[in-house]
Amino acid sequence: SYFLGKDVFRSGINKYLKRFEYSNAEQDDLWESLTKEANISSVLPKNLSVKDIMDTWTLQTGYPVVSIKREGGNITVSQKRFLYVQPKEEPKECWWIPLTYSTANNINFNETRSSHWLGCNSELIIDTGVGSDDWIILNNKAAGLYRVNYDPHTWSLIADTLHGPNFTMIHELNRLQLVLDAMSLAKVGQLDYTTAFRVLKYIQKETSYIPWQAATASLQDLVPFFWESDKFDIFRSLVRNLLSNIYQRFSDLEFVPNGIEEKRLKALVTKWACNYEVGNCTQDANLLFKAWMSNNTQIPKDLREVVYCEGIRQGKMKEWNYVWDQYLASNVASEKYTYLQALACTTRYTRFMRFLERTLNSSLVRKQDAVTIFSYVAQSSKIGFRYSQNFLSYEIQRLHDHFAPDTEVLGQYFIILACKSVYAYQIQELKNLFNNNKELFAKSQLSISQGLESAESNLQWMKLFYGNISDVMVV
């Protein structure tokens, strides 16, 4: 509906449903109906059909990155497949890509119907009609499934605008997109981290939920690279500085904001503030936990994950057992997962191992929840990651027997660890684990391959970027 427009899409769907009301239809019948309606309204080039477009999106995997080269107001647009793990050969996939754009003197983010189409094996030149010092942003409202990489000058203009007083002239969905694109492109070496972090750091002024969601997701992606390094203090200082303004807005944990977006923003900010010890977050959350545990004082629903986690992190075995009992007593699925995630917040070896040990008992933990708990523990902290490694290594046979005959689930355990492995010795440990247990991993070959690819990509990141990243993280 984005690239055709809502009216054309709705009309095409209605005619398709009426035509096949009492008969069978195939995918191409839908594409044909939409193409006819698009031709009536002249929203597609005459030589292009909806089938031509959609086949490139539905019959192949992945998605593209659109690259921009600029001369004044003219931009040259090209595409290639975006990949986190770089292949040995140049990817051959290509897409029909609907292009929309806004500029500094034509702010048009609400227009998501495509003005141009980028095809395969070709470049497209667009005259945007702006001066060389005006920003240009592609993909209005981030409606298209593609990343955008600009030339250095345009990235600089965009960053200047984000850091300026009128940054909200850029639609919040595009602010989200700019953060995700910049950090994702930097991770694979297609954009320098100086530029990427300059874009990210505008978040200090942001007050909308979805750009914050993008920023914290991008930061979380970097955590494993710093867990066991001397740069973690620099990373922690960066996070604290980014959170300092927005946390003041939500520092009263008992205050319940109006509207779902505000509630989500408060929950997200509070979670990060407590994790990185901003203000009095940890103390206030722990007080709420104690009041809940002793007097059953109600905790705002959106803050329960944070409060339970902080109570477990600061508490002793008594607090851990209390939350575990709540998990056993609850019949609400979402509530049970909140308790499980909180239980992984402990920093004590005995509680980690007890938690993971219980995943082998189906009367306590459902089999489908065992991998979830393993993931919670592995992602909770560097200590949790280390204990997760030990658990998989020492209990691989018991895990295999527990899940038999559905032992392909062992591959999920492997991938969880592989995605967080960034050092050569960690990758070697994974390879040893696989080589010593090939029979147990017999149904997990694809997961093992994907996991090792991801780990090798992390190692490559460490070699390329780790040494020089400290300077760009300083606020």
Side-chain angles (χ1 to χ4, degrees):
S1 66
Y2 277 115
F3 68 78
L4 294 177
K6 290 182 180 180
D7 293 339
V8 171
F9 180 76
R10 189 180 294 112
S11 178
I13 290 292
N14 286 337
K15 290 179 180 179
Y16 164 77
L17 292 174
K18 289 178 181 178
R19 178 184 173 190
F20 294 97
E21 186 174 6
Y22 301 107
S23 60
N24 296 328
E26 297 180 350
Q27 177 176 274
D28 285 357
D29 296 319
L30 174 59
W31 302 154
E32 181 185 0
S33 178
L34 291 173
T35 299
K36 287 181 179 178
E37 201 63 26
N39 288 338
I40 292 172
S41 301
S42 301
V43 298
L44 282 181
K46 292 182 179 180
N47 63 337
L48 189 59
S49 70
V50 173
K51 174 179 169 57
D52 294 332
I53 298 164
M54 294 306 297
D55 279 357
T56 67
W57 293 97
T58 61
L59 301 182
Q60 63 182 356
T61 58
Y63 60 92
V65 53
V66 171
S67 297
I68 306 300
K69 295 179 181 178
R70 180 173 178 177
E71 291 186 12
N74 290 335
I75 58 173
T76 301
V77 188
S78 60
Q79 65 163 296
K80 65 177 180 179
R81 183 177 180 182
F82 181 81
L83 290 166
Y84 279 109
V85 179
Q86 298 307 302
K88 295 179 181 178
E89 298 181 0
E90 188 71 19
K92 297 181 180 179
E93 296 91 346
C94 65
W95 292 261
W96 277 104
I97 302 174
L99 300 178
T100 56
Y101 64 89
S102 290
T103 66
N105 52 16
N106 184 20
I107 299 173
N108 197 30
F109 289 106
N110 288 324
E111 180 56 75
T112 59
R113 194 171 66 179
S114 55
S115 58
H116 298 79
W117 286 89
L118 177 61
C120 292
N121 305 316
S122 63
E123 293 184 338
L124 180 67
I125 299 175
I126 302 173
D127 181 1
T128 65
V130 300
S132 58
D133 290 327
D134 294 320
W135 55 262
I136 301 168
I137 294 176
L138 259 68
N139 199 10
N140 289 341
K141 285 189 174 180
L145 183 60
Y146 56 90
R147 301 208 178 280
V148 183
N149 194 6
Y150 302 91
D151 60 281
H153 179 60
T154 302
W155 271 121
S156 180
L157 293 173
I158 291 171
D160 287 344
T161 304
L162 287 173
H163 284 272
N166 299 318
F167 71 95
T168 56
M169 73 172 66
I170 300 174
H171 194 278
E172 65 178 5
L173 287 170
N174 285 95
R175 302 200 300 270
L176 169 147
Q177 176 204 22
L178 289 166
V179 170
L180 288 179
D181 284 355
M183 296 300 289
S184 297
L185 291 163
K187 188 175 182 182
V188 297
Q190 294 183 32
L191 181 67
D192 62 275
Y193 265 112
T194 299
T195 299
F197 270 101
R198 183 159 180 251
V199 170
L200 174 75
K201 288 174 186 177
Y202 102 91
I203 206 73
Q204 289 173 294
K205 305 190 306 178
E206 183 61 76
T207 58
S208 295
Y209 169 67
I210 55 173
W212 266 106
Q213 189 180 32
T216 52
S218 299
L219 290 167
Q220 186 61 41
D221 196 39
L222 293 174
V223 169
F225 298 108
F226 305 121
W227 260 345
E228 297 190 28
S229 78
D230 56 356
K231 298 185 191 294
F232 188 76
D233 286 342
I234 300 172
F235 179 78
R236 179 165 49 199
S237 294
L238 167 68
V239 173
R240 287 174 173 172
N241 275 290
L242 294 177
L243 289 167
S244 58
N245 290 335
I246 193 70
Y247 176 69
Q248 294 304 314
R249 181 175 169 185
F250 299 120
S251 58
D252 180 0
L253 299 193
E254 297 186 70
F255 170 71
V256 180
N258 293 321
I260 190 165
E261 291 297 300
E262 279 287 284
K263 290 178 180 177
R264 287 176 175 173
L265 178 58
K266 178 175 182 178
L268 179 66
V269 168
T270 305
K271 178 179 180 178
W272 275 73
C274 281
N275 284 345
Y276 289 88
E277 301 176 334
V278 177
N280 295 321
C281 188
T282 57
Q283 299 94 311
D284 293 345
N286 196 38
L287 287 174
L288 288 178
F289 180 88
K290 289 179 178 178
W292 169 69
M293 185 174 169
S294 59
N295 304 319
N296 200 29
T297 303
Q298 197 71 8
I299 300 169
K301 185 176 180 180
D302 294 305
L303 290 186
R304 287 173 189 172
E305 178 189 331
V306 180
V307 172
Y308 297 160
C309 178
E310 204 55 48
I312 292 292
R313 184 181 288 133
Q314 296 187 45
K316 297 181 179 179
M317 198 69 216
K318 177 183 177 182
E319 285 75 15
W320 197 94
N321 284 333
Y322 183 80
V323 174
W324 172 258
D325 289 342
Q326 302 308 305
Y327 160 74
L328 293 178
S330 176
N331 293 316
V332 180
S334 60
E335 192 175 68
K336 290 178 81 73
Y337 282 118
T338 300
Y339 290 134
L340 289 178
Q341 193 161 9
L343 289 165
C345 293
T346 184
T347 58
R348 299 293 182 176
Y349 169 78
T350 54
R351 290 165 222 169
F352 273 131
M353 298 315 293
R354 180 176 298 186
F355 196 23
L356 292 171
E357 178 71 22
R358 289 179 182 180
T359 64
L360 293 169
N361 186 338
S362 296
S363 66
L364 296 175
V365 175
R366 299 181 306 170
K367 285 187 178 181
Q368 60 263 42
D369 292 337
V371 178
T372 301
I373 290 174
F374 185 82
S375 177
Y376 287 159
V377 172
Q379 297 180 49
S380 65
S381 62
K382 66 179 181 181
I383 300 172
F385 179 72
R386 195 176 304 136
Y387 291 151
S388 300
Q389 289 176 303
N390 293 339
F391 180 76
L392 183 59
S393 179
Y394 295 148
E395 304 295 351
I396 183 68
Q397 182 66 60
R398 290 178 65 198
L399 284 165
H400 179 275
D401 297 344
H402 179 67
F403 288 109
D406 303 318
T407 56
E408 61 273 10
V409 73
L410 294 181
Q412 297 179 42
Y413 281 78
F414 191 92
I415 282 182
I416 288 167
L417 294 182
C419 289
K420 304 296 180 185
S421 297
V422 302
Y423 296 107
Y425 79 87
Q426 293 174 331
I427 297 173
Q428 189 58 53
E429 287 174 355
L430 288 173
K431 291 178 178 178
N432 292 342
L433 176 64
F434 171 67
N435 290 329
N436 294 335
N437 300 279
K438 286 185 176 180
E439 292 184 5
L440 303 182
F441 283 114
K443 293 184 179 180
S444 306
Q445 297 296 318
L446 179 60
S447 296
I448 299 299
S449 176
Q450 291 174 339
L452 290 176
E453 278 188 0
S454 179
E456 292 289 353
S457 178
N458 289 342
L459 181 61
Q460 185 68 12
W461 187 97
M462 292 291 287
K463 292 177 180 178
L464 293 175
F465 306 119
Y466 178 79
N468 299 318
I469 202 168
S470 299
D471 292 340
V472 299
M473 288 198 295
V474 175
V475 177

